[in-house]
């Protein structure tokens, strides 16, 4: 597909003549030493890129000796081409070296070579120099995973970019080209694992591990070429739903035998199958609780079934009481993951990984970091992020999430004293995990530009790059994406960088204030509705009355959630004066007149941020519109439309939130701006 939106950051735009001459001298020939389908994908990618950028078809040749002296050489260090163990950082390591007219890309695995090729292409796409290249890279994280929340009817749970690229009408679509192009995008940023169906596993999807296996196998083959291991989300009640048993009790022998047999069948078809992603006893999904068992019983039983084949169980920690009584102020959803899983630390099998959402609630624009990460010292775990913008504007609003993720990754948990940042924990540097890394909910769909909002592509790009290296400088990472996606004109680069980096804060300003979260329309979660969840069962309250607002999570008078953090975080969050302003309503119930560290009152901060937020969107829109002519018309128009819709919608947010709090508190805006 030739459309620019579709090519995302793999544009491979034709260079000018000078650049063509320069790069061509290195790229006329591609030689590889060993054969494998991943190396094949690497040579294809290179040759596609060379055709696009330089307008020549490189000569591709296999050679067993090092006789060649020009062009790109792809070579395995160990001179083997057998199957490689997945999820090994050392095997993902690669080197790119320029010597004379040659560029040598070497690695201990074919995957590493592919990553090296994508790195080289990033350099060339960004018009950088080849001379003196000597790069050695290895990923910080072992598992770098994407979770598709696709259903087989073609819908995507929390998807905002059209229907599924995988399924339609309860069948696989079989569009190999589209899936392969997705695999290319993922692999180009180092993603090495994917689960291809929603964590909420309905009737048809339950049979992915049985009847639908031949189709799963075909999909696995596409991803395999790009070094991406395929996982499936499973239904914990499969033994009942499709196995004809009367129970799914993990301690029941028939149940155990059923899963062992199911695993065996899967591995007969897909020998390098990754394993299962499991949402159990969460939001009405079945799980071991029904049988009086706990998460370890459930997860370890599945782990046992997968173990002989090298498979992994990824068990999600998004477990909480979703039938809460709003009158009950003791139960605190934020506490739930820690309360459920912390006592079980050390009891999970080696091939179980717990997947923990970045915050204790659910992917709000602002949450503290989950206290469970770092508290599990003897249990493998993955940090879960949400690339799809469920609560952050649903890809109608621009909300570049890399700044949020950087804050999460850089958060010091103090789990092992000062300097125990989240990125160190999930990289496996702090505790001796067998497996660790990141997983995130994808934001792509069948829309031609993948993500609905063209600029939302940056979230997918940024997620992958941060998986590879969470300490990458945010500005550099964003520039990388801009250069590859839109080119290098100074005006464009400066403006776009500004727009992207500011967008998260802007979104935060005009939506739910000061860390309290929610205030969205129930179910679909788009648009303002301050009391939308206030009297619901979901445990997501703000408790605003005429005097004040916020959730008291302190040890003394609140739910005691602050206690789940290590010191000094526990003390900071627990203290009304030390708690960071942006989280004050997450941790404390305060009067509207409470003075924040900024010197402003809570109510005035609410008014100010909401007026500012809308002005920021206007500024962002104007900045974008000033770039007309710098960007192809199609993307320019599509993005302009979304930004102006965002501007209108941000006013709705501003006015509803401000009016709500003005009416509750009766306190006027100091600047006497229009509140309804
Ligand atoms: C959120 C989201 C659900 C999803 C759930 C999960 O609650 O709204 O659609 O299923 O997270 O992560 O399991």
């Amino acid at each position: 597909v030739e459309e620019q939106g579709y090519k995302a950051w793999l544009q491979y735009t034709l260079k000018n003549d000078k650049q063509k001459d320069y790069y061509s001298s290195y790229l006329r020939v591609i030689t590889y030493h060993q054969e494998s389908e991943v190396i094949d994908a690497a040579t294809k990618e290179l040759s596609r890129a060379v055709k696009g950028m330089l307008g020549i078809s490189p000569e591709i040749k296999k050679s067993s000796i090092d006789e060649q002296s020009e062009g790109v050489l792809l070579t395995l260090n160990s001179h083997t081409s057998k199957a490689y163990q997945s999820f090994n950082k050392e095997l993902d390591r690669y080197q790119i070296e320029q010597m004379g007219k040659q560029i040598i890309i070497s690695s201990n695995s074919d995957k590493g070579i592919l990553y090296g090729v994508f790195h080289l292409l990033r350099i060339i796409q960004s018009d950088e120099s080849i001379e003196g290249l000597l790069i050695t890279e290895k990923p910080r994280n072992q598992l770098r995973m994407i979770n598709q929340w696709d259903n087989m009817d073609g819908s995507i749970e929390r998807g905002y970019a059209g229907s599924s690229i995988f399924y339609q009408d309860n069948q696989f679509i079989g569009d190999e080209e589209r899936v392969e192009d997705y695999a290319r995008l993922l692999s180009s940023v180092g993603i090495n694992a994917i689960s291809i169906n929603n964590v909420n596993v309905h009737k048809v999807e339950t049979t992915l591990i049985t009847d639908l296996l031949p189709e799963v196998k075909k999909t696995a083959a596409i991803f395999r070429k790009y070094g991406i291991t395929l996982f499936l989300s499973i239904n914990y009640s499969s033994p009942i739903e499709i196995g004809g048993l009367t129970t799914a009790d993990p301690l029941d022998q028939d149940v155990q035998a059923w899963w062992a047999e199911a695993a065996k069948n899967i591995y007969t078809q897909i020998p390098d199958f990754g394993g299962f992603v499991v949402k159990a006893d969460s939001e009405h999904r079945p799980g071991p609780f029904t049988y009086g068992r706990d998460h370890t019983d459930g997860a370890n039983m599945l782990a046992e079934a997968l173990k002989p084949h090298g498979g992994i169980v990824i068990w999600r920690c998004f477990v909480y009481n979703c039938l809460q009584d709003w009158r009950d102020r003791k139960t605190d959803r934020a506490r739930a993951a820690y309360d459920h899983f912390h006592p079980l630390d050390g009891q999970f099998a080696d091939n179980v990984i717990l997947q923990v959402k970045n915050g204790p609630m659910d992917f709000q624009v602002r949450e503290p970091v989950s206290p469970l990460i770092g508290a599990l010292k003897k249990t493998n775990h993955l940090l879960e992020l949400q690339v799809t913008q469920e609560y952050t504007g649903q890809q109608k609003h621009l909300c570049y999430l890399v700044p949020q993720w950087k804050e999460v990754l850089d958060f010091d948990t103090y789990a092992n004293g000062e300097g125990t940042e989240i990125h160190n924990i999930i990289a496996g540097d702090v505790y001796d995990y067998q497996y660790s890394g990141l997983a995130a909910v994808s934001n792509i769909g069948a829309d031609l530009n993948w993500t609905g909002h063209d600029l939302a592509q940056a979230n997918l790009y940024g997620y992958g790059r941060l998986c590879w290296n969470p300490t990458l400088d945010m500005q550099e990472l964003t520039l990388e994406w801009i250069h590859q996606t839109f080119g290098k004109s100074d005006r464009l680069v400066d403006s776009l960088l500004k727009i992207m980096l500011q967008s998260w804060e802007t979104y935060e300003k005009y939506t739910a204030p000061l860390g309290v979260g929610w205030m969205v329309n129930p179910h679909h979660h788009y648009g303002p509705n301050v009391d939308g969840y206030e009297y619901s069962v979901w445990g997501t309250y703000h408790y605003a009355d005429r005097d004040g607002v916020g959730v008291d999570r302190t040890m003394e008078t609140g739910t005691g959630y602050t206690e789940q953090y290590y010191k000094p975080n526990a003390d900071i969050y627990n203290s009304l004066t030390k708690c960071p302003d942006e989280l004050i309503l997450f941790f404390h119930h305060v009067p509207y007149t409470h003075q924040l560290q900024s010197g402003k009152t809570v109510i005035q901060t609410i008014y100010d941020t909401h007026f500012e937020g809308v002005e920021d969107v206007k500024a962002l829109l104007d900045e974008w519109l000033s770039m007309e002519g710098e960007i192809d018309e199609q993307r320019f128009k599509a993005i302009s439309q979304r930004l102006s819709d965002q501007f209108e919608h941000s006013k709705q947010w501003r006015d509803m939130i401000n009016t709500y709090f003005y009416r509750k508190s009766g306190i006027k805006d100091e600047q006497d701006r229009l509140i309804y």
Side-chain angles (χ1 to χ4, degrees):
V1 181
E2 279 311 305
E3 204 189 284
Q4 273 152 313
Y6 185 78
K7 293 194 230 163
W9 54 87
L10 301 178
Q11 296 283 321
Y12 304 145
T13 314
L14 193 64
K15 305 263 178 214
N16 65 35
D17 287 346
K18 206 173 137 215
Q19 293 167 328
K20 273 195 228 160
D21 285 348
Y22 173 66
Y23 290 116
S24 297
S25 61
Y26 291 99
L27 292 163
R28 264 186 219 104
V29 187
I30 302 167
T31 310
Y32 57 95
H33 275 163
Q34 302 86 353
E35 250 164 305
S36 90
E37 47 182 350
V38 178
I39 290 175
D40 191 44
T43 55
K44 277 210 186 97
E45 191 69 30
L46 257 175
S47 105
R48 173 203 290 253
V50 169
K51 262 184 221 147
M53 296 190 284
L54 311 178
I56 54 169
S57 296
E59 180 193 343
I60 302 175
K61 57 179 193 192
K62 180 168 192 253
S63 139
S64 49
I65 35 160
D66 300 319
E67 96 234 313
Q68 179 225 17
S69 61
E70 68 155 15
V72 183
L73 172 67
L74 308 178
T75 182
L76 281 170
N77 297 329
S78 50
H79 291 277
T80 70
S81 57
K82 60 179 190 307
Y84 304 102
Q85 188 202 339
S86 318
F87 314 130
N88 179 319
K89 292 190 242 181
E90 282 310 318
L91 292 181
D92 291 346
R93 178 200 288 277
Y94 59 83
Q95 182 170 304
I96 306 175
E97 188 178 9
Q98 175 257 330
M99 293 207 316
K101 279 291 160 207
Q102 199 170 36
I103 303 170
I104 302 165
I105 301 180
S106 57
S107 173
N108 291 326
S109 75
D110 49 6
K111 263 192 209 182
I113 288 178
L114 181 61
Y115 296 142
V117 163
F118 277 118
H119 190 149
L120 177 66
L121 293 177
R122 193 156 69 230
I123 291 172
I124 302 175
Q125 283 213 87
S126 311
D127 301 339
E128 280 159 29
S129 158
I130 305 276
E131 260 84 64
L133 273 190
L134 178 57
I135 298 170
T136 308
E137 280 251 3
K138 121 181 176 182
R140 275 290 299 286
N141 290 294
Q142 179 192 27
L143 256 129
R144 307 178 296 275
M145 184 167 195
I146 269 288
N147 296 156
Q148 297 299 135
W149 280 5
D150 297 38
N151 300 312
M152 289 201 62
D153 65 4
S155 65
I156 302 179
E157 181 145 339
R158 311 308 177 188
Y160 311 106
S163 52
S164 173
I165 65 165
F166 297 96
Y167 320 107
Q168 200 179 8
D169 301 330
N170 293 326
Q171 281 171 352
F172 278 76
I173 298 174
D175 184 348
E176 292 188 11
E177 190 185 332
R178 182 86 204 226
V179 174
E180 180 157 342
D181 282 336
Y182 186 38
R184 291 173 51 232
L185 288 174
L186 293 178
S187 178
S188 73
V189 288
I191 298 293
N192 65 355
I194 187 169
S195 57
I196 57 163
N197 64 307
N198 189 3
V199 287
N200 296 312
V201 185
H202 311 293
K203 188 84 195 171
V204 193
E205 294 83 0
T206 302
T207 64
L208 283 168
I209 57 170
T210 51
D211 302 354
L212 293 170
L213 262 182
E215 292 296 325
V216 176
K217 180 179 174 177
K218 287 187 205 157
T219 310
I222 300 172
F223 284 107
R224 180 182 301 115
K225 285 191 278 184
Y226 290 88
I228 301 168
T229 302
L230 186 133
F231 288 70
L232 290 171
S233 297
I234 58 110
N235 179 343
Y236 197 80
S237 281
S238 300
I240 301 174
E241 299 227 357
I242 54 173
L245 301 186
T246 53
T247 177
D249 181 354
L251 300 195
D252 182 285
Q253 282 186 358
D254 292 339
V255 171
Q256 293 166 359
W258 190 86
W259 281 109
E261 185 61 22
K264 207 174 108 196
N265 283 335
I266 297 171
Y267 282 91
T268 319
Q269 305 258 359
I270 310 167
D272 58 352
F273 178 68
F276 299 148
V277 174
V278 194
K279 173 173 178 175
D281 289 314
S282 161
E283 299 186 326
H284 312 293
R285 301 312 301 154
F289 288 179
T290 311
Y291 312 98
R293 316 296 182 197
D294 68 14
H295 294 286
T296 51
D297 298 322
N300 292 346
M301 178 274 292
L302 293 174
E304 187 71 30
L306 293 173
K307 190 153 193 144
H309 316 283
I312 299 170
V313 175
I314 300 178
W315 191 269
R316 297 177 79 236
C317 295
F318 187 57
V319 178
Y320 67 97
N321 178 2
C322 63
L323 291 172
Q324 200 179 317
D325 183 345
W326 58 268
R327 300 166 191 86
D328 160 23
R329 287 178 83 141
K330 293 247 158 26
T331 307
D332 180 2
R333 170 165 164 183
R335 293 189 56 114
Y338 187 101
D339 284 345
H340 278 286
F341 288 94
H342 186 251
L344 304 176
D345 189 21
Q347 296 176 37
F348 288 94
D350 281 356
N351 59 331
V352 173
I353 316 179
L354 297 185
Q355 181 165 313
V356 188
K357 287 191 181 181
N358 65 273
M361 298 297 278
D362 193 12
F363 302 132
Q364 301 303 292
V365 66
R366 170 78 63 178
E367 285 186 48
V369 172
S370 168
L372 188 58
I373 304 163
L376 295 166
K377 304 194 173 192
K378 291 172 282 185
T379 308
N380 303 319
H381 57 284
L382 287 179
L383 169 67
E384 179 176 336
L385 302 173
Q386 195 182 41
V387 186
T388 195
Q389 291 172 240
E390 176 175 2
Y391 296 99
T392 49
Q394 305 198 349
Q395 282 141 249
K396 293 196 175 82
H397 294 228
L398 172 64
C399 188
Y400 181 47
L401 290 163
V402 166
Q404 185 199 51
W405 299 333
K406 279 295 263 186
E407 279 198 22
V408 172
L409 292 162
D410 288 343
F411 178 74
D412 194 348
T413 63
Y414 287 85
N416 211 10
E418 196 179 346
T420 321
E421 284 91 4
I422 297 287
H423 68 83
N424 291 315
I425 295 166
I426 59 169
D429 294 348
V430 180
Y431 309 114
D432 195 16
Y433 301 137
Q434 174 105 6
Y435 297 103
S436 60
L438 293 94
V441 188
S442 177
N443 65 346
I444 70 109
D447 278 3
L448 205 55
N449 69 354
W450 302 96
T451 52
H453 200 311
D454 288 272
L455 300 179
Q457 293 174 353
N459 283 329
L460 188 61
Y461 183 86
Y463 167 68
R465 296 289 288 135
L466 287 177
C467 285
W468 186 273
N469 180 6
T471 55
L472 262 183
D473 178 74
M474 182 157 69
Q475 183 155 328
E476 269 171 41
L477 185 169
T478 311
L479 283 174
E480 264 182 18
W481 173 77
I482 295 174
H483 292 161
Q484 295 173 88
T485 310
F486 290 105
K488 283 192 94 171
S489 116
D490 287 344
R491 275 234 340 89
L492 177 146
V493 171
D494 294 346
S495 293
L496 201 46
L497 186 66
K498 200 157 98 194
I499 290 174
M500 297 306 283
L501 292 183
Q502 193 206 306
S503 59
W504 171 52
E505 197 190 327
T506 295
Y507 187 82
E508 179 177 22
K509 280 188 188 169
Y510 62 78
T511 57
L514 297 165
V516 76
W518 310 96
M519 302 192 167
V520 288
N521 284 304
H523 312 303
H524 61 73
H525 301 163
Y526 187 70
N529 185 343
V530 182
D531 283 337
Y533 275 111
E534 196 56 15
Y535 305 100
S536 78
V537 292
W538 296 97
T540 51
Y541 317 116
H542 56 69
Y543 301 120
D545 58 23
R546 64 176 189 174
D547 300 317
V549 57
V551 189
D552 185 352
R553 294 191 157 108
T554 63
M555 299 174 212
E556 296 77 14
T557 53
T559 65
Y561 166 74
T562 54
E563 210 167 7
Q564 295 183 345
Y565 290 89
Y566 290 91
K567 280 175 191 291
N569 293 330
D571 296 334
I572 292 170
Y573 290 146
N574 200 63
S575 152
L576 191 55
T577 51
K578 289 191 204 133
C579 180
D581 286 353
E582 68 272 15
L583 285 169
I584 196 81
L585 302 183
F586 191 93
F587 287 105
H588 298 273
H589 184 87
V590 294
Y592 294 115
T593 50
H594 171 77
Q595 202 182 41
L596 296 172
Q597 296 181 50
S598 68
K600 276 189 201 175
T601 60
V602 165
I603 190 76
Q604 194 56 43
T605 306
I606 293 176
Y607 296 151
D608 287 353
T609 50
H610 285 77
F611 283 114
E612 271 167 40
V614 173
E615 281 163 28
D616 289 358
V617 182
K618 182 70 175 55
L620 209 137
L621 171 64
D622 289 344
E623 183 87 44
W624 176 263
L625 292 176
S626 78
M627 289 195 283
E628 183 155 23
E630 304 272 340
I631 288 165
D632 56 285
E633 205 177 299
Q634 187 165 33
R635 286 187 296 179
F636 179 78
K637 279 202 177 139
I639 296 169
S640 304
Q641 185 60 51
R642 296 221 176 204
L643 291 176
S644 66
D645 291 348
Q646 176 179 2
F647 178 46
E648 288 311 312
H649 198 232
S650 68
K651 293 185 209 161
Q652 183 73 354
W653 268 102
R654 173 195 66 195
D655 293 338
M656 280 180 76
I657 302 273
N658 282 347
T659 300
Y660 180 94
F661 284 104
Y662 175 60
R663 289 183 186 173
K664 282 265 156 159
S665 69
I667 302 173
K668 283 193 159 168
D669 171 33
E670 280 168 7
Q671 295 186 46
D672 215 19
R673 287 162 292 194
L674 186 57
I675 296 178
Y676 296 85

